[in-house]
């Protein structure tokens, strides 16, 4: 990776990003996303945040080297905490490379800022079913998703737009408890859009490969389990959701 290019998974996210005035790269690591967007005239200003001082210092060095110290600010913080009126209005954001529920926490904690954005973009590593359900009930619309494979692993990216008020929760714990309860009572048909949705803008080959990879993986796992095992019903249910998703995709691909 250098200042002019991104890894495949981050490049997938960058390809979704519309021109924006002020972009927040949350969990920015070494700042490559903001620099890529700036170097390609996709943004005018940026804020890079990270909870770890070391990577943020590297980001600051890269920003200074590229001559963007007046356009890209760095702040040591968790998510968008400590962002106030002294900062420019944030019009877009990326949250990449962290767990799904951590991403939900960042969105939940600063809903006031995310609801004012034109778009934000997610590349989260886990619990994507809960992430999608959260976005829906919180009043966000997933306009686009894509999937790619890098170094043997599959990654999903989402382009999200706020569009209405959503359900309110008094705490993150209450929200997560609600999500886990609701997602587990969905029928197979209802669950597909939260677990393995298909969008026409997707890389169809990558999506199909991902589904086949997951189905093969789960079939091997369940083949080694006894029906009275603790997790058997959970694994069987998710396998059925995958197969339903593949059937829907094959019907659309015809």
């Amino acid at each position: 990776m250098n200042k002019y290019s991104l890894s495949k998974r981050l490049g997938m996210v960058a390809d979704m990003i519309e021109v924006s005035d002020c972009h927040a790269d949350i969990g920015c690591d070494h700042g490559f996303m903001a620099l890529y967007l700036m170097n390609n005239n996709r943004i005018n200003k940026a804020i890079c945040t990270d909870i770890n001082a070391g990577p943020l210092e590297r980001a600051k060095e890269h920003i200074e080297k590229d001559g963007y110290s007046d356009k890209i600010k760095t702040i040591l913080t968790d998510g968008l905490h400590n962002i106030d009126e002294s900062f420019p209005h944030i019009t877009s954001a990326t949250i990449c490379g962290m767990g799904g529920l951590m991403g939900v926490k960042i969105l939940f904690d600063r809903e006031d800022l995310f609801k004012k954005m034109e778009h934000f973009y997610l590349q989260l590593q886990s619990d994507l079913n809960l992430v999608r359900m959260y976005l829906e009930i919180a009043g966000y619309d997933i306009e686009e998703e894509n999937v790619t494979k890098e170094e043997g692993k599959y990654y999903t990216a989402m382009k999200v737009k706020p569009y209405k008020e959503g359900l309110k929760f008094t705490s993150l714990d209450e929200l997560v408890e609600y999500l886990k309860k609701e997602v587990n009572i969905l029928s197979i048909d209802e669950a597909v859009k939260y677990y393995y949705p298909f969008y026409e803008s997707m890389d169809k080959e990558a999506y199909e490969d991902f589904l086949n990879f997951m189905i093969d993986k789960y079939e091997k796992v369940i083949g080694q389990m006894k029906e009275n095992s603790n997790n058997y019903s959970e694994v069987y249910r998710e396998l059925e959701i995958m197969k339903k998703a593949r059937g829907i995709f094959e019907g659309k691909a015809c």
Side-chain angles (χ1 to χ4, degrees), residues 177-190:
E177 182 180 355
Y178 174 87
L179 294 173
K180 289 181 176 180
K181 176 184 176 183
E182 291 299 309
V183 82
N184 284 327
I185 63 175
L186 295 170
S187 69
I188 300 300
D189 288 351
E190 292 170 330

Side-chain angles (χ1 to χ4, degrees), residues 61-127:
E61 291 173 1
H62 295 144
I63 291 163
E64 290 174 352
K65 184 176 180 181
D66 271 25
Y68 289 126
S69 296
D70 59 332
K71 293 187 175 183
I72 305 179
K73 297 184 178 184
T74 59
I75 181 169
L76 183 67
T77 189
D78 179 9
L80 287 180
H81 285 292
N82 305 319
I83 304 297
D84 55 33
E85 284 72 19
S86 66
F87 287 85
H89 170 57
I90 301 171
T91 51
S92 65
T94 41
I95 307 175
C96 299
M98 62 185 72
L101 292 181
M102 178 59 70
V104 168
K105 178 184 183 299
I106 290 170
L107 295 169
F108 178 80
D109 286 347
R110 292 310 308 262
E111 181 180 320
D112 59 318
L113 295 179
F114 284 99
K115 279 297 178 76
K116 295 176 183 177
M117 294 183 191
E118 295 165 2
H119 289 94
F120 57 87
Y121 308 85
L122 307 176
Q123 186 278 296
L124 301 172
Q125 310 285 67
S126 59
D127 297 310

